[in-house]
Structures are given as C-alpha cells and as structure tokens.
Amino acid sequence: MKEGDLVMVSAEATGLGEPMEAVIDKIEIFMKQTLVTVTYTHPNALSGPGGCFVDVHITLKEY
C-alpha cells in the first residue's frame, strides 16, 4: 500500500454496515501500529469525508 492507492475500508471499521471505497492520504506508524488516513471517494452524511484506520481494516481495491 502507498499514498494515492484506491482501497476498501471494512464495514467493521466504518461502522456503517458496508465497506467504503477510499483513497489513501497518509500512512504512518504509531506505537507499532500502521495507521492509514483515507478520504472516501463517495462520502455521505453518515460517513463524513474519511478517517484514520488500522491497516488490517484496509484492502487494496481490485480493478
């Protein structure tokens, strides 16, 4: 994974009941955890513009 990649954020992480498509803004390591900051490609009123998630909830989007 790298900045600019198109990814899917798991439904468990978003709390919205369905995965969300997003673009990676930043990747950083904090206390031995890889954190990924994303911006959703199709945000809605419940999701907001994006968020920061632990990398286990992020998968690369298949084209």
Side-chain angles (χ1 to χ4, degrees), residues 9-46:
V9 181
S10 72
E12 293 82 12
T14 64
L16 300 173
E18 63 182 31
M20 295 283 290
E21 184 180 79
V23 175
I24 296 176
D25 292 327
K26 184 167 58 169
I27 299 172
E28 57 191 317
I29 297 178
F30 180 72
M31 296 186 70
K32 299 183 182 180
Q33 289 283 338
T34 302
L35 303 177
V36 182
T37 304
V38 301
T39 299
Y40 297 130
T41 56
H42 304 292
N44 60 43
L46 293 176

